[in-house]
Amino acid sequence: MAEYHLHTPLNEETARMLRAGDLVLLSGTIYTARDAAHKRLMELLHRGEPLPFPLEGAVLYYVGPTPAPPGRPIGSAGPTTSYRMDAYAPQLYALGVRATIGKGRRNQAVRDALAHYGGVYFGATGGAGALLSRCITNAQVIAFEDLGPEAVRQLEVHEFPVLVINDSVGGELYVQPDRAAARIG
Amino acid sequence: MRIIEPERITHAVATMCVHACRVLPADVRTALERALAEETHPAGRAILSQLVDNYRLAEEQGLPLCQDTGLAVFFVEMGADVHVPGGIRAAIEAGVRQGYDEGLLRKSACHPLTRCNTGDNTPAIIHLEHVPGDGLRIAFMAKGGGSENMSRVTMLAPAQGWEGVRRFVVERVAEAGPNPCPPVVVGVGIGGTFELAARLAKQALLRTLDDTHPDPTIAALEAELLHDINALGIGPMGLGGRTTALGVKIALHPCHIASLPVAVNIQCHSARHEEVRL
């Protein structure tokens, strides 16, 4: 398990180099999108209209932050559960998204997309929103402002800590529950 | 008849919403710190250490512990001799509106089908119970969506008994895996009806982690469930370790002779709840 300091955008070679369990300190520009924003992004794609940010090499962060206090770029900003975006993720990886950040398991279609297109799924610590917000140096709403907490934001991050949960060679960091030990096997 | 002015309730609720979302209850802090001291898995330890740093920072900086400041859930015990002009529900809703706005908390309530945000985190979910006397007790829980999504209700056959209940609860936590932000607190409602079991499971989450169920038989069942859940080895954020749950709380109610309703309400480690008595 290695430690990397990476800068966005990420290229395919970098994504394919990462392995489940690696710690990545991410710097640069990332984009937020969660449930409602993903639906809108898909509608734009369906109509053949441009998206609000470049997909090539992009890192998407599944987050809906709290409002920014005075003098700070953003409020609390930890990850939301990722499986709800599984329906959209393979298409976005196909279009150049290189990484997503969230928490919790992804389905087989997403894991296949990581292998096929050369992508990675990062986990950030759920419920550590205050702590993680310290790594966000700037935040601007760039699309779907009417969605409030679900609007798409462009974030500048500095050494934002994430773990590689799923890599491009089928590796996964989450442990399988020991059902036998818990007497439900 | 005792009259409680709605403004007093609104102010108390607003204050409680903001405080609960920023300051983790003492019993949860103690449980996280104990888990950190006892956890041997390196990845699990690293996560617990971040969670301790997070609650310290949140309190110090006045930031929400988590960006998901929840739907506002209330359990209210209102004395039969209490009158609130305009109604208790309106007074509580006004407190939620004020607290979530002024406290810079996230408004997470939306229409279930259009997904249009209501804009002020109302309506709140209010469970109101009338009790004898002239007191008013309002318990608040900021219930996040991630852990709520991992919760389930089932209707077991009476023949399945405790073993059926145990398997359902432990299997639910196993299937939820890393999704609900473990270490979790597990509320279990046993008995009643379909909807009452769910309510009991949620209400059980209001008990503090350091309490023991007054019925020693139920206390033993809680300990058994906690042991089995932690034997799963899911660990903090699903990365492995002995700390999958910080506590299991059971609430029971008599049920139909044909039924054995069971509900599991999962609470993430950011177990934010508080109560006020007026």
Side-chain angles (χ1 to χ4, degrees):
Chain A
M1 285 183 262
E3 182 177 323
Y4 297 98
H5 294 252
L6 297 180
H7 205 280
T8 64
L10 300 181
N11 60 32
E12 182 176 348
E13 188 189 354
T14 304
R16 287 197 184 276
M17 162 194 84
L18 295 170
R19 291 291 175 269
D22 288 348
L23 171 67
V24 174
L25 298 166
L26 205 57
S27 297
T29 302
I30 65 176
Y31 301 95
T32 75
R34 45 172 293 155
D35 310 66
H38 271 79
K39 190 155 180 277
R40 296 258 182 110
L41 292 174
M42 290 297 137
E43 286 162 5
L44 289 177
L45 285 173
H46 187 71
R47 293 199 299 264
E49 292 174 25
L51 296 192
F53 56 88
L55 291 183
E56 187 53 47
V59 177
L60 292 188
Y61 184 18
Y62 302 146
V63 59
T66 62
R72 299 182 67 134
I74 201 164
S76 193
T80 193
T81 325
S82 306
Y83 73 89
R84 300 192 313 271
M85 274 55 78
D86 283 358
Y88 313 110
Q91 190 180 351
L92 293 170
Y93 279 109
L95 291 170
V97 166
R98 208 49 76 187
T100 56
I101 305 171
K103 67 172 171 89
R105 283 190 201 286
R106 308 310 300 261
N107 68 12
Q108 190 60 48
V110 176
R111 300 198 298 265
D112 289 346
L114 300 181
H116 195 262
Y117 303 110
V120 66
Y121 167 52
F122 292 128
T125 302
L131 198 61
L132 288 167
S133 76
R134 310 287 289 178
C135 304
I136 300 170
T137 57
N138 195 24
Q140 298 293 329
V141 172
I142 58 166
F144 318 142
E145 190 158 16
D146 60 299
L147 294 180
E150 298 203 68
V152 169
R153 289 167 171 81
Q154 178 174 322
L155 306 183
E156 303 304 320
V157 295
H158 178 69
E159 307 219 316
F160 189 91
V162 292
L163 288 167
V164 177
I165 301 294
N166 290 101
D167 60 29
S168 61
V169 294
E172 173 163 326
L173 186 60
Y174 289 137
V175 299
Q176 289 299 325
D178 187 344
R179 286 184 162 80
R183 301 186 295 139
I184 57 166
Chain B
M1 184 64 72
R2 177 184 173 217
I3 292 174
I4 302 181
E5 291 305 324
E7 293 78 15
R8 207 177 145 209
I9 294 167
T10 296
H11 176 73
V13 166
T15 306
M16 185 161 61
C17 290
V18 177
H19 189 263
C21 285
R22 292 178 179 173
V23 183
L24 203 61
D27 59 306
V28 185
R29 296 165 178 244
T30 304
L32 284 175
E33 281 169 20
R34 180 175 302 150
L36 177 58
E38 292 174 1
E39 182 57 71
T40 51
H41 193 286
R45 281 187 59 80
I47 296 291
L48 290 168
S49 173
Q50 287 176 42
L51 298 183
V52 170
D53 288 348
N54 185 69
Y55 81 63
R56 288 180 180 156
L57 182 73
E59 181 172 5
E60 179 192 307
Q61 306 270 324
L63 277 170
L65 287 146
C66 176
Q67 73 291 337
D68 186 352
T69 50
L71 277 190
V73 179
F74 294 88
F75 283 85
V76 180
E77 288 176 8
M78 184 167 168
D81 300 329
V82 171
H83 175 63
V84 179
I88 178 80
R89 287 179 185 272
I92 290 174
E93 298 274 9
V96 170
R97 242 174 254 122
Q98 187 187 326
Y100 274 73
D101 183 51
E102 293 174 2
L104 298 174
L105 308 181
R106 195 179 80 186
K107 290 87 178 170
S108 306
C110 73
H111 186 284
L113 293 177
T114 66
R115 312 305 296 177
C116 187
N117 198 301
T118 65
D120 60 7
N121 218 46
T122 67
I125 309 294
I126 302 172
H127 303 287
L128 181 58
E129 196 180 340
H130 287 283
V131 297
D134 65 356
L136 178 63
R137 176 176 173 230
I138 304 173
F140 163 71
M141 183 190 289
K143 192 63 177 72
S147 57
E148 193 75 354
N149 283 343
M150 295 297 110
S151 303
R152 295 289 185 275
V153 181
T154 191
M155 305 299 280
L156 298 180
Q160 291 176 271
W162 167 248
E163 178 57 13
V165 173
R166 188 191 68 79
R167 282 183 166 270
F168 177 69
V169 175
V170 178
E171 182 57 43
R172 180 81 298 268
V173 178
E175 274 179 34
N179 292 2
C181 284
V184 294
V185 184
V186 184
V188 182
I190 306 174
T193 46
F194 181 77
E195 85 287 1
L196 182 58
R199 178 178 156 154
L200 289 171
K202 177 153 273 113
Q203 201 161 9
L205 293 171
L206 290 174
R207 286 169 50 201
T208 57
L209 286 168
D210 51 10
D211 83 340
T212 307
H213 198 285
D215 180 339
T217 313
I218 306 305
L221 296 180
E222 289 178 345
E224 183 181 347
L225 282 178
L226 182 62
H227 176 272
D228 289 347
I229 286 168
N230 283 332
L232 288 167
I234 292 168
M237 289 313 294
L239 300 179
R242 62 173 71 178
T243 323
T244 301
L246 299 173
V248 175
K249 302 293 171 185
I250 295 177
L252 291 97
H253 195 279
C255 58
H256 193 283
I257 51 174
S259 303
L260 176 49
V262 185
V264 178
N265 196 197
I266 298 184
Q267 167 65 57
C268 64
H269 58 73
S270 201
R272 295 152 292 173
H273 58 88
E274 215 168 293
E275 70 166 59
V276 64
R277 287 165 197 264
L278 294 174

